[in-house]
Amino acid sequence: MRVGWIGLLIGLGAMAIGGQSLHEAKVAGERKDIAYAQLVAGMPALGWYRVQGASYSLIDAVTLRGVTGSTLPDVYVRVHPAGVPAGGEAPAKLLVHIEDQQLADHMAATLARLAEEPYPVAGDEKLEEEHPVEGMIESFLTIDRTDQKGVRGALGARLADDYLVIAQGRKPDGTGRGLAILLAGLALVALSGLSLLRRRALPPDEAATE
């Protein structure tokens, strides 16, 4: 019986992800330019944006460690509006999420060194280079909540209570991927549902052996 329920739950989850992907492809199919102030005021649930009037610098990055102690490939960086210097203490309303193992390892080593040595030293000037913000809003289905606990712990008061995360450089998936996931989930739900109905129709002693 448990197998049927597990299949049903996995299928429903796949349908949710597939439906979200299709909705995202429809709503965020075209990149929009948006002012930073408008973005953080509106707090959109999804979208593909190029943010105007804001940027990020790696001096504001944090890295995360997995349960084994290894550095995860996720780098989160506070975004600052134009005219506000990097490295400040103001609570960030927007983060960029960069998935890059090489960058994550480099930043973890750099941040550990900066905690021990005076800043700056040769090469640190690159940490303050400004980078444009462009990518997809991470929705409630795609955002990694475990990551967010780690980010909250690392940034503390330097992160606003309500904030957005943009997956830097990410573009919408095509409708084909979302449709494939949705149909696979639907098929699994149907098969699991039929299996559960079949077992309910069996005598109790036979159903227990299924």
Side-chain angles (χ1 to χ4, degrees), residues 153-202:
L155 292 177
R158 293 181 295 158
L159 184 61
D161 292 336
D162 295 317
Y163 62 95
L164 292 172
V165 178
I166 283 185
Q168 181 69 11
R170 187 187 157 213
K171 299 178 181 179
D173 294 323
T175 56
R177 178 177 178 273
L179 184 60
I181 295 173
L182 178 63
L183 292 176
L186 183 60
L188 185 55
V189 166
L191 291 173
S192 299
L194 288 173
S195 177
L196 289 171
L197 289 174
R198 177 176 173 275
R199 288 171 183 171
R200 287 187 62 184
L202 292 174

Side-chain angles (χ1 to χ4, degrees), residues 62-67 70-77 95-100 104 138 142-156 159 163 165 167:
V62 296
T63 59
L64 304 172
R65 290 191 177 275
V67 293
S70 60
T71 302
L72 298 176
D74 305 279
V75 179
Y76 289 86
V77 193
L95 301 176
V96 295
H97 177 199
I98 306 168
E99 289 192 62
D100 185 322
E138 293 193 350
T142 60
I143 198 166
D144 190 317
R145 289 172 175 77
T146 302
D147 276 11
Q148 300 317 302
K149 290 181 181 179
V151 171
R152 172 67 67 184
L155 292 177
L159 184 61
Y163 62 95
V165 178

